[in-house]
Amino acid sequence: MNSASTGSVRTVEHVTWHDHPTLRRPVLVAAFEGWNDAGDAATGAVRFLAELSGVTEVAEIDSEPYVDFAVSRPLVRLDESGERRIEWPRTVLSAGTLPGTDRDVITVDASEPRLRWRSYCDTILAIADELDVEMVLTFGALLADVVHSDPVGVIGSAADPALVSRLGLRQSSYEGPTGIVGVLQHRAREAGLDSVSLWAPVPSYVSAAPSPKATLALVERAANLLDLDLEARLTLLRAEATGYVGQVDALVEGDEDLQEYVDRIREAEAAEPLTDDPARSSNELMAELEDYLRDQGDT
């Protein structure tokens, strides 16, 4: 990534530019806190890639048009001199270099906004266009009837048949309520950008706990899609995933009702194993995703 400015920057409404780097074959990677982020797995994956890539802020979207401050309230902070300041919700786009590759990454770090989703997504994509983004990759995480100690079956989907074939994904056939991830994917396709969505299931019985195991699965799947060699860089995340399994093991062993619930999930898997047929496994997990999105749409 070359941090030197490329010249004039196109004016994009509600956007403040901090830098305008020259990027190489950039991919925009996004996840949003909230509805699409069970176990903080999706935002965890974006932040992991951001840290690996050494990103720095390039643009910020003003929260005023998109955030309901009665729901996502600003915070009062004291600065070093003791003066009070208001810390507003932020959407920050940062750029860096994907390790071991000749391409750069732009990460989106934000909470799911409450207002004007189409305009919000179009603003992200206007920034992406200004920075010559080639692909939009979004992460999501859902609560599902899966067991915490089993392998995480990441769902990779895209709407473009050529992209599905090239990357070994599945074509999305979902119909129903969607979140900001779905809207961003749709607007990206309308803008002519390649777009891929990766979702990881998180055990519903530990919904309140961060899931480094699901984060790890998303990162590994993204590395496969983007031809990243991250093997030597995943040691800490793998250790966190192992620790997560051990902690949940202890939780389950100490709760008879929870143990019975996990046993029922295992019995259902044994009656119709997901691992016998990878295609069916994806279909089963996609059905879980569809049920999850519909349930969330009723709340």
Side-chain angles (χ1 to χ4, degrees):
M1 182 182 72
N2 185 344
S3 62
S5 174
T6 59
S8 62
V9 179
R10 183 175 56 148
T11 299
V12 181
E13 191 176 13
H14 306 303
V15 171
T16 300
W17 289 90
H18 303 301
D19 190 13
H20 193 263
T22 301
L23 302 179
R24 303 166 304 163
R25 303 172 52 232
V27 55
L28 185 140
V29 182
F32 300 87
E33 294 177 359
W35 197 72
N36 313 271
D37 191 30
D40 300 336
T43 52
V46 168
R47 289 165 186 169
F48 182 85
L49 290 175
E51 184 175 353
L52 279 185
S53 302
V55 300
T56 57
E57 293 185 14
V58 295
E60 181 174 346
I61 300 175
D62 182 10
S63 59
E64 185 79 20
Y66 307 112
V67 175
D68 181 350
F69 295 125
V71 176
S72 301
R73 293 184 179 274
L75 301 175
V76 174
R77 302 289 193 191
L78 297 179
D79 62 21
E80 295 179 355
S81 64
E83 292 292 325
R84 291 182 178 274
R85 59 182 177 82
I86 300 293
E87 186 175 282
W88 298 94
R90 304 176 76 206
T91 294
V92 176
L93 287 83
S94 304
T97 298
L98 290 167
T101 73
D102 62 350
R103 74 184 309 168
D104 295 317
V105 64
I106 300 164
T107 59
V108 179
D109 189 350
S111 296
E112 182 178 66
R114 294 275 173 165
L115 307 170
R116 300 180 64 193
W117 281 9
R118 287 176 295 185
S119 297
Y120 178 80
C121 290
D122 289 348
T123 300
I124 291 176
L125 294 174
I127 298 171
D129 179 62
E130 181 70 22
L131 295 172
D132 298 321
V133 164
E134 292 187 354
M135 176 186 289
V136 173
L137 173 61
T138 58
F139 292 138
L142 66 144
L143 297 177
D145 286 334
V146 295
V147 176
H148 66 280
S149 55
D150 288 348
V152 178
V154 173
I155 307 160
S157 65
D160 178 15
L163 191 61
V164 168
S165 176
R166 176 162 63 88
L167 298 179
L169 304 170
R170 55 171 285 138
Q171 191 157 359
S172 176
S173 59
Y174 171 71
E175 296 178 296
T178 191
I180 194 66
V181 166
V183 176
L184 181 58
Q185 282 282 321
H186 178 72
R187 303 298 273 191
R189 290 194 299 271
E190 289 188 330
L193 284 170
D194 286 344
S195 57
V196 175
S197 181
L198 298 179
W199 285 77
V202 172
S204 56
Y205 53 89
V206 281
S207 60
S211 177
K213 188 174 180 181
T215 293
L216 173 63
L218 287 169
V219 169
E220 289 178 327
R221 188 69 168 103
N224 178 262
L225 289 175
L226 300 173
D227 294 323
L228 306 179
D229 182 6
L230 299 183
E231 190 62 30
R233 303 170 186 265
L234 295 176
T235 302
L236 180 58
L237 187 54
R238 285 183 174 140
E240 291 174 353
T242 300
Y244 164 84
V245 172
Q247 290 173 345
V248 181
D249 278 343
L251 176 68
V252 171
E253 289 170 4
D255 188 318
E256 184 176 342
D257 291 338
L258 189 53
Q259 181 67 68
E260 290 179 0
Y261 179 69
V262 173
D263 290 343
R264 287 199 299 272
I265 297 175
R266 290 199 181 280
E267 289 169 4
E269 290 176 348
E272 192 172 357
L274 292 178
T275 55
D276 287 350
D277 180 352
R280 187 177 70 183
S281 175
S282 291
N283 289 336
E284 294 282 356
L285 287 171
M286 185 59 78
E288 294 262 14
L289 170 59
E290 292 172 1
D291 290 343
Y292 172 75
L293 292 175
R294 290 192 183 96
D295 289 345
Q296 294 295 315
D298 292 337
T299 60

